[in-house]
Amino acid sequence: MLNFEFYNPTRIAFGKGKVAEIDKLIPIKARVLILYGGTSAKTNGTLDEVKAALSERHVEEFSGIEPNPTYETLIKAVAQIKANNLDYLLAVGGGSVIDGTKFVAASVYAEGDPWEILLQHGTNVKKAMPFGTVLTLPATGSEMNDGSVISRTETASGLHDKLYFTSEHVFPQFSVLDPSKSYSLPPRQLANGLVDAYTHIMEQYLTYPVEARVQDRFAEGLLQTLIEVGPKVLQNPEDYELQANFMWVATLALNGLIGSGVPSDWATHMIGHEITALHGLDHAQTLAIILPSMLSLRRDAKRAKLLQYAERVWHISEGTEDARIEAAIQNTRSFFESLNVPTRLSAYGISADAIPAILSQLESHGMVELGEHKDVTLDKSREVLEASI
Ligand code: NZQ
Ligand code: ZN
């Protein structure tokens, strides 16, 4: 096992009815800004519930945080906070609203242009405004981690940027996880969440063995739970126990636990972010496209873990090693397809002509040595993209 430090200060309030607890979790004198997305928090009643719980405080709202949240939108929330002396943030939504709130929390105290936070991947964040979250979409793990992904449409190059930052100052103080809040999710967002959580686990599990038995078995258990509940939750989105298991898996998939003491990959995510930036695909759609070909093309370096994955997650123990690996990768692709998330660029109308621009984005963002062995060069990324058409 590799050396590690595990730190996670986020309190989780899990279960039906837990939204009311924010009254205890947010200081009574706080001047609160509630941040949310488009319409879902209003139409499914979560916003009203939140406002009722905070009725004794000064509360303002900031709406319109879009999927793949943008700098241009979020910077307006920073202005509102400064103008009205607000001092506590509450994100109500999915990964985009939570990520956006993290960026706002850090930007309030930024010296100079807040976009520098993304350019420096958070190393320059010294302080952030305290915030909590009410999660409505299991997927990203943002509710219990220190990461955030922000897009910018008006960059100097004229291209769209989608960059990440991490900082221990942007862990949420608390997150309310009420599985009934995701009953209203449409099938596309449910499927996206399943694919995103699955890929988070794979990015931390499917590298090379380091004798991290606990982390491996946690990861395998989480993957198996997604395989088990995924198709069922799509059929029965109002089944509390299915949503509860899905929500907790998605949080555990990226809260630092299974990634402690093991190598991690993240090449699929980095290529995926560029596809979203240039073509607007949902985050999870990009992962469903890239992960199977990434595993396939790097099967030699990942051989031992692919065999372990085949046997322990998919129960494939017959046939040659190569046949078992092939079957496990095919099962991964079929699982995503069974959730109605297509796994080919062409299914989204993207052809080979698009590859050079994706590669030049990767290059301009310094994404030229990706993966657990830093051997995913631009050439390797090109091969992966070509195999994903
Ligand atoms: O805007 P509203 O109307 O709220 O609708 C949203 C949005 O259109 C809707 N939605 C959310 N909760 C709902 C609901 N609709 C009905 N009922 C509900 N209960 O879902 C749509 C998508 O929401 P979004 O927040 O964009 O989805 P997700 O949670 O998948 O977040 C994706 C973003 O997170 C980033 C991605 O790159 C992307 O920008 N990621 C963040 C990570 C992190 N912080 O650790 C890691 C991930 O790998 C990922 O990169
Ligand atoms: Zn992701």
Side-chain angles (χ1 to χ4, degrees), residues 36-41 44 46 65-69 92-99 102 135-142 145-151 162 181-186 189 192-193 196 200 254 266 269 273 283 287:
Y36 57 98
T39 51
S40 78
N44 71 13
T46 313
I65 298 180
E66 54 281 85
N68 307 306
V92 181
S96 293
V97 172
I98 300 174
D99 282 8
K102 291 175 176 178
L135 181 68
T136 64
L137 196 178
T140 65
S142 189
N145 71 32
D146 63 352
S148 164
V149 187
I150 304 297
S151 299
K162 184 173 185 191
K181 296 295 162 226
S182 28
Y183 289 173
S184 57
L185 281 168
Q189 298 304 341
N192 280 348
D196 195 21
H200 292 160
L254 197 53
W266 299 113
H269 267 72
H273 286 171
H283 172 61
L287 307 176

